[in-house]
Amino acid sequence: MSYGAVEGGSRRSSEVLESNIQTPLLESSSETFTSSSPDVKIDIPLTQEQELIFPNEPVKTALSFLFLIFGFLVTTFSLALTHDRVPDYNPLPDIVLDNTTYHQWGLKASEIIIIISIVLAFFTVIVHTHRMIIIRRVFLILGLLYMYRGLTMFVTVLPISDKNYECAPKLNHSITFLELISRVVTIVSGGGLSMNGKQIYCGDFIFSGHTMVLMMAFFVVREYSPRTKRFLVFHLLSFMLSVTGVAMLLVSRGHYSIDCLVAYWVTSRVWWTYHTLANNSNLKLSGSHNHMDNIWWWYLFRYAETNVPDQLPRRYSLPLPSGVIEGARRTWERRWWGEPRGRGHQRLEDSEE
């Protein structure tokens, strides 16, 4: 080995390095990439602002409505059969009911709050641009919850929590098919509310349907309304209505405390599970990576959500044909400015803060 050669090579390498340092970057690039060099292509990723397509799929929404009807019928048939099995015992010990003052008007107040909460949730959904997808999700989740409720109230029947609540007389014989259908029709015609006098059958305790609807209304408002500071009051209003509705339900002895706790737990877990699946495309695929496909309603979920590409953006528009909106806009502008001021935006976008 010749050390002189190594030393000479090192000297030449240092000279080349110094020349490269002194040469500007642009000149070096122009010398390096000659006309004989191949073209360099750089793939620029698509921006996140690229518009995703969220199909309405009204047929799936209609089928989800039928699923909701089926779930509600499961609950009504369960209540119609449970009524005659309610034990004639005193109310069970309850830490909340035993330490609060009884107010019979609390049940009516709770149901009035339920109606207000439903109106707020309905308004949130109807002004959302992707309202059809949200309606489909609400129908499916409510259908699941009604089916769960029909099962839990049938397997374990609790004594009446309010001694003053008037229930229909029990039958002294096995219920016939016509009597069962008559009870179901009565329950359905009342919409599950006591304020109209149609909720005369008892035994629907575990779990609370009132609490379930109140929580669903709050979850809809919180998930699909804007998350800006301006709408914080709207979120707090919906939350306080839900809490107040449950409190009124308890002071009226409409349900045991365990009924409300189980209703919150089941409703929140089904809602959060469904939306976690919907917002993660890899959880829509069956495989060893996804243990969520063991849920019995996962295939129903995948059918409903398979064409939804991503989490729904918070965008809002009026549920009217575009021609009607454009005509109203131009009429408004002529009245105030004398002439149209160009095509306006029909959609409002909520920017996250």
Side-chain angles (χ1 to χ4, degrees):
M1 180 179 294
S2 175
Y3 289 96
V6 173
E7 182 180 358
S10 301
R11 185 181 299 110
R12 285 193 298 271
S13 299
S14 62
E15 291 174 359
V16 173
L17 179 60
E18 292 176 357
S19 64
N20 288 338
I21 294 176
Q22 296 174 357
T23 304
L25 180 61
L26 294 178
E27 293 181 8
S28 175
S29 300
S30 62
E31 293 177 359
T32 303
F33 298 101
T34 60
S35 58
S36 61
S37 300
D39 295 336
V40 178
K41 297 182 179 180
I42 300 176
D43 294 332
I44 301 177
L46 297 176
T47 61
Q48 295 182 352
E49 296 179 357
Q50 184 180 14
E51 194 73 21
L52 296 175
I53 298 176
F54 295 86
N56 288 327
E57 299 179 298
V59 174
K60 291 184 178 180
T61 303
L63 292 176
S64 66
F65 178 72
L66 295 179
F67 182 76
L68 168 61
I69 296 300
F70 173 76
F72 185 72
L73 289 177
V74 169
T75 294
T76 55
F77 273 93
S78 178
L79 176 58
L81 294 172
T82 301
H83 174 74
D84 295 320
R85 299 171 51 223
V86 176
D88 297 324
Y89 303 154
N90 291 326
L92 298 176
D94 189 288
I95 192 64
V96 176
L97 304 189
D98 295 342
N99 293 278
T100 55
T101 304
Y102 171 72
H103 296 286
Q104 189 174 8
W105 50 264
L107 182 58
K108 184 176 181 179
S110 177
E111 294 180 347
I112 293 175
I113 293 175
I114 287 177
I115 296 174
I116 297 174
S117 298
I118 291 176
V119 170
L120 294 180
F122 176 79
F123 174 78
T124 301
V125 173
I126 207 64
V127 299
H128 200 286
T129 299
H130 305 295
R131 60 187 67 87
M132 191 68 68
I133 298 175
I134 301 175
I135 292 173
R136 179 165 67 245
R137 291 177 175 180
V138 171
F139 285 166
L140 286 175
I141 294 176
L142 280 176
L144 291 171
L145 292 174
Y146 275 123
M147 292 176 65
Y148 285 142
R149 184 169 184 258
L151 177 63
T152 55
M153 76 167 65
F154 183 79
V155 296
T156 302
V157 185
L158 303 181
I160 299 173
S161 55
D162 179 14
K163 295 180 179 180
N164 300 315
Y165 193 86
E166 295 183 3
C167 300
K170 298 180 182 179
L171 299 176
N172 54 8
H173 59 274
S174 299
I175 188 171
T176 64
F177 178 75
L178 292 179
E179 290 172 333
L180 178 62
I181 297 301
S182 176
R183 288 183 175 183
V184 170
V185 171
T186 301
I187 298 171
V188 172
S189 63
L193 299 178
S194 303
M195 60 190 304
N196 50 31
K198 298 295 183 66
Q199 188 67 10
I200 57 177
Y201 301 105
C202 300
D204 56 337
F205 290 106
I206 300 179
F207 51 90
S208 169
H210 289 67
T211 305
M212 179 189 78
V213 174
L214 287 168
M215 295 307 304
M216 278 291 297
F218 169 66
F219 287 148
V220 168
V221 170
R222 184 177 181 272
E223 180 70 25
Y224 295 112
S225 63
R227 290 290 184 91
T228 58
K229 294 180 180 179
R230 290 180 298 176
F231 281 84
L232 179 60
V233 176
F234 186 58
H235 293 175
L236 291 177
L237 173 62
S238 178
F239 175 75
M240 292 306 300
L241 284 174
S242 299
V243 173
T244 305
V246 175
M248 293 295 100
L249 185 65
L250 291 175
V251 298
S252 67
R253 307 293 190 268
H255 273 282
Y256 291 101
S257 301
I258 188 63
D259 304 341
C260 300
L261 289 175
V262 173
Y264 164 75
W265 195 92
V266 175
T267 305
S268 60
R269 268 57 189 177
V270 172
W271 177 274
W272 292 332
T273 300
Y274 189 100
H275 283 76
T276 298
L277 293 170
N279 294 340
N280 293 273
S281 58
N282 61 327
L283 296 181
K284 298 178 184 178
L285 303 176
S286 179
S288 59
H289 72 286
N290 183 15
H291 292 281
M292 303 295 284
D293 63 358
N294 292 304
I295 303 175
W296 70 269
W297 47 265
W298 182 82
Y299 289 97
L300 178 64
F301 152 81
R302 188 173 67 170
Y303 168 76
E305 299 285 340
T306 186
N307 294 327
V308 180
D310 202 353
Q311 182 177 357
L312 293 183
R314 292 183 175 87
R315 297 173 179 172
Y316 307 92
S317 61
L318 295 177
L320 298 173
S322 58
V324 175
I325 298 177
E326 184 67 18
R329 183 189 65 82
R330 292 184 177 182
T331 302
W332 178 268
E333 290 179 352
R334 286 193 184 98
R335 175 174 298 181
W336 287 97
W337 293 292
E339 60 180 2
R341 300 180 53 155
R343 184 176 181 84
H345 295 286
Q346 300 174 9
R347 184 180 62 194
L348 303 176
E349 296 191 6
D350 171 39
S351 58
E352 295 286 346
E353 292 189 357

